[in-house]
Amino acid sequence: MIRLFDSLKSEVRPLDLREPGKVSMYVCGPTVYGLPHMGHGRFTLVWDVLRRWLTFQGYEVNFVSNITDIDDKIINLAAAQGTSEVVVASQYEQEWWKAMAKIGVAHPTSSPHATEYVPQMVALIEELVAKDIAYPLSDGMYFDTSRVADYGALAGQPLDSLRAGARVETMEEKRSPLDFALWKKAKPGEPTWPASFGDGRPGWHTECVVMSLGLLGEDFDLHCGGLDLKFPHHENERAQSIAAGHPFARHWAHNGFVMVEGEKMSKSLGNFTSLTDLLERTDARAYRLLVLRSHYRSPIEVSPATIEDAERALERLDSLARRFGLDQLAGDTFVTTSHLPTGASAGELAQSVTEFLEDDLNTPLAVAALFEAVSQANGLADEGRAVEAQPLAEAINTLFGALGLTLNSHGGEIDAESAEIVRLRDEARAAKNWAEADRLRDSLVKLGWIVEDSSSGTVIRR
RNA sequence: GGCGGCGUGGCCGAGCGGUUAGGCAGGGGCCUGCAAAGCCCUCCACUCCGGUUCGAAUCCGGACGCCGCCUCCA
């Protein structure tokens, strides 16, 4: 079984499943009030890779990731645009799924919306009220953090030191600056839902609790998200669930940030690149490869240079796919071990990749092993040892596919005119008419083709 | 102020005491009519100062620099 760093226990430990063979995982999704940015791209890719890898290994993965469709920012944006929250949320949710499809992130098993779970949130808050853990203030219901013995466990510090570090005192009335809003009382013109403790709308943290427990059940296996959600968001989710008497996630995993020139990319700093923009101008696979080449807990530097670097590396993989006529895997389908070819070299490669990934999802080492295998397969083929090279190339394809990276063996549709030039060039080459052959190659290049000679003649691709 | 992390070759990025990951870029060679692709070889490292050790990028101490969380954030 894979070993992962558990943010709660601060150690790498085997993923301890509630039920053998089945993985229940929850990934905190986006609040839909803007285009997805590179940070969103990273977390979705990282957890998509884990999901695909577990599926590859034969686990049945129940992957839940929410859409937060009600929140202050959505309300503010709707007001600014003179439209409704529903319109804003659905518009950006569409953008979200478009980007996800493009980047090859498989759709979650379930993608619940916060607004579909309001009654459950109300019920949870009622449980907390009954236990005297929630208390009312003028503007809503608050959670009393002092009532949870190990509050601060995820943050890695005791409650007292967190309180001492509180930088801003937003609500003087709160018993502790760390106490957070479970429910916000209705304000004129804002969306509102009925509740026994006063109509209003939910605070942020409660939704993930009821959606994860509702779809995965108590004591589910793994809760994932960006490092910036660890505290306070995840701490507050955990606190609520446990305080209400519901065992929560068995394991917590957090991915590192996307950095721009050494600083965390974030909306508040304004230094973000939208994922939508990136996907319009580059091969979506380049970002996945970039993410795979660094460890999921490390920060990654994203810049035009690092993206181009990944695009070039991708070229090498695509060359392999063309040379060996590899099938295009991944995409919407999940690759499984049944896709692996038989044979010793394929088995050895799969085994070393597996060992690396099982050690806290060490994708950089796995990718390095795969690239080494690429050299090996090409070398064998150069020596004419196709029987050995072919299964190795197929194993590389399968294992990249298991990580969601599709190798592209198609050079593009060849139109009739280009095909005719290719035919003429092969004739010229057969006649050793090099000047004509070079002239025809130039015209192909002008048409946008990359021209390569092979044993079977001129091969062109885009 | 509290807590946590980081400083690796031209760039990205692994590494967890002994083996100069891997990719991209650069140089040389092989292959090719010439190219391209591919293969082989190669240049270029571990912020600094002490210490532990037969041996340290890796462990310990210190210095400097950087980053994150403690506030909405993936």
Side-chain angles (χ1 to χ4, degrees), chain A residues 2-13:
Chain A
I2 195 167
R3 295 179 302 282
L4 286 176
F5 183 82
D6 183 352
S7 309
L8 185 62
K9 299 196 171 174
S10 278
E11 64 180 21
V12 175
R13 63 186 187 96

Side-chain angles (χ1 to χ4, degrees), chain A residues 90-199:
Chain A
S90 71
Q91 176 197 339
Y92 287 113
E93 182 179 349
Q94 279 178 41
E95 293 287 351
W96 174 263
W97 295 123
K98 259 197 268 178
M100 290 303 111
K102 229 169 165 178
I103 205 168
V105 168
H107 206 280
T109 314
S110 310
S111 54
H113 295 74
T115 54
E116 294 161 355
Y117 280 79
V118 177
Q120 288 90 325
M121 290 191 243
V122 169
L124 177 68
I125 296 166
E126 282 170 346
E127 289 178 55
L128 294 170
V129 169
K131 294 188 176 189
D132 200 29
I133 293 166
Y135 62 90
L137 288 182
S138 58
D139 65 345
M141 297 300 293
Y142 284 78
F143 184 92
D144 187 344
T145 50
S146 70
R147 296 293 308 280
V148 180
D150 68 346
Y151 189 87
L154 266 172
Q157 11 183 3
L159 192 134
D160 284 349
S161 99
L162 281 167
R163 182 184 289 139
R167 284 181 288 179
V168 276
E169 183 62 69
T170 46
M171 268 285 294
E172 290 298 333
E173 305 172 67
K174 285 199 288 186
R175 294 179 189 169
S176 158
L178 297 168
D179 290 356
F180 56 91
L182 292 162
W183 189 258
K184 301 181 180 187
K185 263 190 196 165
K187 289 184 201 154
E190 289 188 355
T192 174
W193 286 263
S196 55
F197 38 81
D199 294 358

Side-chain angles (χ1 to χ4, degrees), chain A residues 354-384:
Chain A
T354 301
E355 278 169 19
F356 292 136
L357 294 178
E358 296 220 314
D359 183 14
D360 198 23
L361 200 64
N362 196 329
T363 55
L365 283 179
V367 167
L370 288 167
F371 269 94
E372 277 182 289
V374 169
S375 296
Q376 225 179 78
N378 277 318
L380 288 167
D382 282 356
E383 291 173 33

Side-chain angles (χ1 to χ4, degrees), chain A residues 81-321:
Chain A
Q81 293 183 172
T83 180
S84 72
E85 292 76 19
V86 174
V87 168
V88 167
S90 71
Q91 176 197 339
Y92 287 113
E93 182 179 349
Q94 279 178 41
E95 293 287 351
W96 174 263
W97 295 123
K98 259 197 268 178
M100 290 303 111
K102 229 169 165 178
I103 205 168
V105 168
H107 206 280
T109 314
S110 310
S111 54
H113 295 74
T115 54
E116 294 161 355
Y117 280 79
V118 177
Q120 288 90 325
M121 290 191 243
V122 169
L124 177 68
I125 296 166
E126 282 170 346
E127 289 178 55
L128 294 170
V129 169
K131 294 188 176 189
D132 200 29
I133 293 166
Y135 62 90
L137 288 182
S138 58
D139 65 345
M141 297 300 293
Y142 284 78
F143 184 92
D144 187 344
T145 50
S146 70
R147 296 293 308 280
V148 180
D150 68 346
Y151 189 87
L154 266 172
Q157 11 183 3
L159 192 134
D160 284 349
S161 99
L162 281 167
R163 182 184 289 139
R167 284 181 288 179
V168 276
E169 183 62 69
T170 46
M171 268 285 294
E172 290 298 333
E173 305 172 67
K174 285 199 288 186
R175 294 179 189 169
S176 158
L178 297 168
D179 290 356
F180 56 91
L182 292 162
W183 189 258
K184 301 181 180 187
K185 263 190 196 165
K187 289 184 201 154
E190 289 188 355
T192 174
W193 286 263
S196 55
F197 38 81
D199 294 358
R201 62 191 168 88
W204 178 32
H205 315 297
T206 309
E207 60 173 275
C208 288
V209 179
V210 300
M211 290 187 282
S212 59
L213 291 176
L215 289 161
L216 298 171
E218 288 184 353
D219 200 30
F220 63 92
D221 296 315
L222 179 60
H223 194 127
C224 310
L227 197 51
D228 45 0
L229 297 185
K230 193 162 95 167
F231 190 90
H233 182 54
H234 287 165
E235 188 82 55
N236 290 347
E237 285 184 39
R238 184 171 175 273
Q240 282 176 72
S241 186
I242 290 173
H246 306 297
F248 208 48
R250 298 166 78 90
H251 213 104
W252 292 85
H254 294 95
N255 61 277
F257 297 128
V258 170
M259 310 294 283
V260 179
E261 290 170 8
E263 275 195 317
K264 173 189 165 188
M265 176 180 287
S266 73
K267 290 189 182 175
S268 51
L269 286 174
N271 62 345
F272 64 93
T273 308
S274 99
L275 185 64
T276 307
D277 286 350
L278 176 86
L279 295 175
E280 267 165 24
R281 56 176 200 274
T282 59
D283 188 328
R285 299 174 304 152
Y287 194 37
R288 183 179 292 262
L289 185 57
L290 191 61
V291 165
L292 286 171
R293 287 202 305 188
S294 63
H295 188 86
Y296 76 96
R297 289 193 282 129
S298 301
I300 49 169
E301 186 70 31
V302 175
S303 68
T306 60
I307 293 284
E308 279 168 33
D309 185 293
E311 282 188 298
R312 294 215 184 93
L314 219 41
E315 272 296 307
R316 184 165 161 74
L317 300 178
D318 288 347
S319 291
L320 183 88

Side-chain angles (χ1 to χ4, degrees), chain A residues 421 424-444 446 453:
Chain A
I421 301 174
L424 290 171
R425 179 162 186 272
D426 283 338
E427 277 182 11
R429 291 191 70 230
K432 296 195 192 297
N433 184 351
W434 307 129
E436 177 67 1
D438 289 351
R439 194 188 64 77
L440 290 166
R441 175 165 56 198
D442 287 346
S443 50
L444 284 168
K446 271 182 195 143
D453 294 346

